[in-house]
Every structure is written in structure tokens, then in C-alpha cells.
Amino acid sequence: MKLQLNGAPVEMQGATLTDLLEAEGFGGAKVATAVNGMFVPAPLRAGHVLNDGDSIEVLAPMQGG
């Protein structure tokens, strides 16, 4: 399946947002996620099925001000 991850094209074999995060090295990280502009909370990622062409944003919290 072809996706956009943080603006870059990626291909993945899994089906869910959790599968993508693990495949791309975000498995245990504290991150915020959005699919096609819609926020997906951490507890719902395992059940969020991705579709070909989806755009996923993964953001890590930053300190500062």
C-alpha cells in the first residue's frame, strides 16, 4: 500500500496505523498521529485501518517556548 508519511512517500505491508508506526520506528514513542488531517488518539491506532493513498502525520512533543 502506498502512503504519505510526514509528506514523504512510503510503502507498507501492514493494515493499521499501529503497523505503520512500528514499521517506521515509532512503535514505543510518545507521538501524536493524524490520518488525512483527522487526529487519531493512541488507544484507537490499532483499530484504525489505513487505505492506499492516506496521508499520515506523526508529531513528537517538543520542549521549549
Side-chain angles (χ1 to χ4, degrees):
M1 157 177 7
K2 295 180 182 182
L3 305 166
Q4 290 284 318
L5 176 61
N6 292 342
V10 295
E11 291 213 24
M12 105 165 205
Q13 300 300 319
T16 68
L17 183 53
T18 295
D19 294 337
L20 175 67
L21 293 174
E22 289 177 3
E24 294 296 320
F26 295 105
K30 299 286 185 194
V31 295
T33 55
V35 177
N36 299 324
M38 300 291 293
F39 175 70
V40 180
L44 301 181
R45 292 176 189 156
H48 190 98
V49 177
L50 298 173
N51 297 299
D52 196 48
D54 279 350
S55 178
I56 297 93
E57 294 293 326
V58 179
L59 303 170
M62 300 177 76
Q63 290 184 338

